[in-house]
Amino acid sequence: MTIFSERVENEKLGLEKVGEVVRLLGWVQRRRDHGGLIFVDLRDRSGMVQVVFGPENMGEGFTLAESLRSEFVVSILGRVIARPQGMVNVNLASGGIEVIAESLEILNGSKNPPYYIVDQVDVDETVRLKYRYLDLRRPEMQNVFKIRHRVTQIMRNFFDSQGFYEIETPMLTKSSPEGARDYLVPSRVRPGEFYALPQSPQIYKQLLMVGGMEKYFQIVRCFRDEDLRADRQPEFTQLDVEMSFVEVEDILPMMERLMVQIFSETIGKKVEMPFPRLTYKEAMDRFGSDKPDTRFGMELIDVGDLVGKTGFKVFANAVANGGSVKCICAKGCSSLPRREIDELGKFVSTYRAKGLAWIVLGEEGIKSPIAKFFTELEMSALLERTRAETGDIVFFVADTYSIVSDALGHLRLELAKRLGLIPEDAMNFLWVTEFPLLEYDEEQQRHIAIHHPFTAPMDEDLPLLESEPLSVRAKAYDMVLNGTELGGGSIRIHKRGIQEKLFNLLGLSQEEAVDKFGYLLEAFEYGTPPHGGVAFGVDRMIMLLTGKDNIRDVIAFPKTQSASDLMAQAPSVVADKQLQELHIKTVKTV
């Protein structure tokens, strides 16, 4: 019987082990036969090592070695020797040694896998997801989960050192679909009634503050039944934090220290503190985005005051109707073919822009279909404002403020990618603060919360809640890294009167508010301390740390974009008996 306790992991095999007899456990990566010897690359989660089987060392066991195939699971006893000069493999941590096998035990065989277990494997993602247990064997995937483990340990140690309690909140909660759709769970013992899986522990962590816990954190699973993208999943992991007796200035520096530690101890990146801060308005004005990528320039430039009375009616009408005219200056792009400029026009149309105007400053002078509408003085003022020089192109969008921001913000990113302006190794953290508390949803004909309905208004804006609700700023903040939102939070409402007022602005009657959130409102009547917190998407953070483009690559068993598990074949039809026990009847829709 194999003695597993004697095992040595591959990453610990170096020249200092030469002469020792070691036991190795792992998977056969590759087998090669050379001149009566068998060479096996043995893989475990720590790395690879070369094992040599010879008839003089193995005796009858050599025949067993001849039967080895890729992905066989083996136990090997062997002696470590230094590789001959000139045979060192610099690409392996164990490349200076090899192991001469003395005994072999095959713990389990393997069918031929559907694809090679190697990094950068060229196979469709659906195949990888169907055989996820094989995909997880690949070294790059194992490194992802090594980093993921390290990140969660750093989080736990950090918050423990700051006096936080790690507290679990319920997985079966009350449905309150104010944001994304809930996943509902039927109750067998309460026919016709349902739990919901938590979209966030938001209310429970606030109740923990009511309960006097003061400092709480949790690494928690959350669920949202929403359309998926490359950086979203129906179930995801969140670092959840809440504190009592705090304001914004207490929370942000602490979270910065956490990020400095995570990025330093996992990928060796030095992160400077304090993080820059932009108000929401400044971020939208300069970058057209509330999660701006500041690794490159090409900021949005407002030219509405310069073009409002020009002969170009598209610009003049936009300004006259309370809209906006902005532009970006693409340096050194005057040689861009007309075909590509037209493609960029189609690109911004996906963000509701009705058109993309442009001015090219070539060696031969200005070239633009809109130049004829401007006087020499007006054109000179435009070029001075945009700091455009020979060799540049200036792109303009005129429309409502939100459409202009959205279209030019995305055009800025698209041009930066095409022009190679984004430094790969930069880590530009920043905070976006003072978000609007509310926005008006035309489709629903009501106000909705930008973050969530428990976010506190800024103190100086409280008088505007009834008269100018869309002007009210929130004590909310998002942490952004390289144009990706890592997480966000806010100072919370902790008084019943203000919370009820906000529910009313969101279109909830008093009866509806009590039905959905009565237990929270009642709790606010029993000495609730001021409190606030933050939540970070752990999966998204790991994606950025490991340089992955898809969140599925950092989750052990992810879902597809249609929210299905290809490996387990979930979701699936269940037996009628189960439905009857739950008092549920399914109805097919056409």
Side-chain angles (χ1 to χ4, degrees):
M1 183 177 178
T2 304
I3 304 174
F4 291 92
S5 60
E6 295 178 359
R7 178 193 181 183
V8 177
E9 291 186 333
N10 293 349
E11 67 178 353
K12 297 177 181 176
L13 291 170
L15 291 173
E16 70 282 357
K17 293 286 186 181
V18 169
E20 292 187 22
V21 174
V22 296
R23 183 174 297 283
L24 308 178
L25 297 164
W27 288 262
V28 174
Q29 177 74 19
R30 189 169 59 142
R31 187 195 115 185
R32 308 180 303 282
D33 295 322
H34 291 297
L37 297 176
I38 295 174
F39 292 82
V40 165
D41 294 332
L42 187 71
R43 184 189 73 244
D44 67 11
R45 71 173 186 176
S46 70
M48 206 93 67
V49 67
Q50 179 170 281
V51 182
V52 183
F53 296 87
E56 67 280 2
N57 294 314
M58 297 287 295
E60 293 182 0
F62 187 72
T63 303
L64 188 61
E66 289 179 313
S67 70
L68 292 177
R69 298 290 183 272
S70 293
E71 301 310 311
F72 275 36
V73 186
V74 297
S75 172
I76 296 168
L77 196 67
R79 187 174 300 276
V80 181
I81 67 167
R83 288 202 189 193
Q85 194 169 4
M87 300 294 288
V88 172
N89 186 343
V90 296
N91 296 317
L92 288 181
S94 63
I97 61 95
E98 58 189 11
V99 176
I100 305 300
E102 297 179 356
S103 70
L104 166 68
E105 181 180 357
I106 297 177
L107 301 175
N108 214 337
S110 173
K111 296 195 300 185
N112 285 331
Y115 56 89
Y116 292 113
I117 311 299
V118 293
D119 289 344
Q120 287 83 50
V121 61
D122 185 16
V123 64
D124 191 272
E125 188 190 33
T126 57
V127 179
R128 290 177 50 210
L129 292 177
K130 181 178 180 181
Y131 297 95
R132 188 61 165 183
Y133 44 83
L134 296 179
D135 199 48
L136 291 172
R137 293 182 187 177
R138 295 189 300 118
E140 67 175 317
M141 293 297 289
Q142 304 230 324
N143 183 60
V144 164
F145 288 96
K146 180 179 180 180
I147 291 176
R148 186 175 181 121
H149 164 76
R150 184 72 188 118
V151 167
T152 56
Q153 295 310 303
I154 291 169
M155 289 173 175
R156 285 192 163 93
N157 291 335
F158 177 86
F159 286 109
D160 181 63
S161 72
Q162 301 297 311
F164 283 71
Y165 295 162
E166 183 173 8
I167 305 173
E168 295 178 342
T169 52
M171 284 288 107
L172 297 175
T173 70
K174 184 179 179 64
S175 178
S176 54
E178 273 297 306
R181 294 184 185 90
D182 286 330
Y183 276 103
L184 299 178
V185 181
S187 170
R188 181 183 60 83
V189 297
R190 300 283 294 271
E193 297 183 1
F194 294 81
Y195 298 104
L197 298 179
Q199 295 185 31
S200 158
Q202 181 62 43
I203 294 179
Y204 284 105
K205 67 179 180 179
Q206 290 190 245
L207 291 171
L208 286 171
M209 298 304 102
V210 180
M213 293 301 167
E214 295 196 20
K215 292 182 177 182
Y216 141 94
F217 86 98
Q218 183 181 189
I219 299 172
V220 60
R221 297 292 276 181
C222 300
F223 306 84
R224 291 180 188 172
D225 188 5
E226 59 185 356
D227 296 333
L228 307 184
R229 299 199 297 259
D231 63 347
R232 284 188 178 175
Q233 281 279 293
E235 54 178 317
F236 57 95
T237 304
Q238 181 172 293
L239 169 65
D240 208 51
V241 182
E242 198 78 4
M243 293 175 268
S244 293
F245 309 111
V246 291
E247 269 297 348
V248 173
E249 291 304 325
D250 300 301
I251 297 172
L252 270 53
M254 181 183 291
M255 297 308 113
E256 291 177 10
R257 294 197 301 274
L258 172 64
M259 293 302 147
V260 167
Q261 191 170 338
I262 287 173
F263 278 75
S264 171
E265 294 186 18
T266 55
I267 60 173
K269 285 285 185 183
K270 185 178 180 181
V271 175
E272 298 292 339
M273 288 178 56
F275 295 177
R277 298 186 192 181
L278 296 174
T279 64
Y280 172 85
K281 184 179 186 307
E282 186 180 3
M284 296 302 295
D285 284 348
R286 292 173 55 189
F287 302 98
S289 171
D290 60 3
K291 45 182 184 295
D293 191 337
T294 59
R295 290 176 293 176
F296 62 97
M298 211 187 306
E299 295 185 18
L300 278 59
I301 304 164
D302 192 335
V303 294
D305 60 318
L306 300 180
V307 301
K309 297 188 183 301
T310 62
F312 189 43
K313 296 302 181 185
V314 173
F315 287 0
N317 289 340
V319 175
N321 293 322
S324 177
V325 182
K326 289 190 176 185
C327 62
I328 55 176
C329 182
K331 292 292 181 182
C333 290
S334 64
S335 60
L336 206 65
R338 179 61 185 267
R339 173 181 51 82
E340 289 194 38
I341 293 176
D342 291 342
E343 285 177 2
L344 293 173
K346 293 177 182 176
F347 176 82
V348 297
S349 70
T350 62
Y351 301 98
R352 299 178 295 156
K354 298 180 184 69
L356 182 67
W358 49 269
I359 297 174
V360 173
L361 283 76
E363 294 292 341
E364 65 284 357
I366 291 174
K367 183 171 64 174
S368 168
I370 67 170
K372 60 187 177 184
F373 297 105
F374 299 96
T375 67
E376 188 175 332
L377 193 62
E378 288 167 344
M379 181 62 73
S380 177
L382 268 179
L383 298 183
E384 183 180 352
R385 174 75 58 86
T386 60
R387 297 184 180 179
E389 303 170 321
T390 299
D392 300 344
I393 300 182
V394 183
F395 292 102
F396 300 82
V397 173
D399 214 301
T400 63
Y401 178 85
S402 61
I403 290 176
V404 169
S405 299
D406 198 28
L408 280 180
H410 282 93
L411 179 62
R412 172 180 178 268
L413 292 172
E414 179 66 16
L415 284 170
K417 291 172 187 174
R418 292 191 185 193
L419 300 173
L421 300 180
I422 305 175
E424 294 291 330
D425 58 346
M427 289 287 172
N428 281 27
F429 282 91
L430 61 91
W431 291 101
V432 177
T433 64
E434 298 182 22
F435 282 81
L437 183 69
L438 304 167
E439 62 182 350
Y440 192 78
D441 188 297
E442 294 290 348
E443 186 177 328
Q444 300 183 53
Q445 293 289 295
R446 69 179 184 92
H447 293 101
I448 59 174
I450 293 282
H451 277 73
H452 55 61
F454 314 106
T455 302
M458 294 190 70
D459 296 339
E460 57 268 37
D461 291 354
L462 264 174
L464 302 175
L465 262 181
E466 293 181 3
S467 59
E468 298 179 56
L470 294 179
S471 299
V472 177
R473 294 166 298 160
K475 291 184 180 180
Y477 35 82
D478 280 358
M479 182 186 287
V480 177
L481 171 59
N482 294 348
T484 296
E485 178 199 333
L486 275 184
S490 66
I491 301 301
R492 323 302 187 186
I493 296 169
H494 67 282
K495 294 184 178 180
R496 177 166 184 159
I498 297 175
Q499 186 66 75
E500 286 182 322
K501 189 176 291 187
L502 193 59
F503 285 154
N504 183 56
L505 281 171
L506 295 174
L508 292 178
S509 67
Q510 187 171 2
E511 293 75 17
E512 288 174 317
V514 170
D515 178 60
K516 290 183 176 182
F517 306 108
Y519 58 106
L520 177 68
L521 294 172
E522 185 176 8
F524 281 175
E525 298 186 68
Y526 290 93
T528 301
H531 58 280
V534 67
F536 294 102
V538 174
D539 310 302
R540 197 173 293 178
M541 186 185 301
I542 305 301
M543 191 172 75
L544 291 169
L545 281 166
T546 57
K548 300 296 183 184
D549 297 322
N550 195 310
I551 204 166
R552 292 189 289 275
D553 286 333
V554 300
I555 297 173
F557 299 101
K559 306 292 188 294
T560 66
Q561 280 195 286
S562 60
S564 61
D565 182 338
L566 297 181
M567 182 188 69
Q569 297 294 293
S572 61
V573 175
V574 298
D576 288 341
K577 182 179 178 182
Q578 289 178 274
L579 295 177
Q580 289 169 5
E581 289 177 341
L582 295 169
H583 311 281
I584 289 177
K585 183 177 182 179
T586 60
V587 178
K588 289 186 178 180
T589 55
V590 178

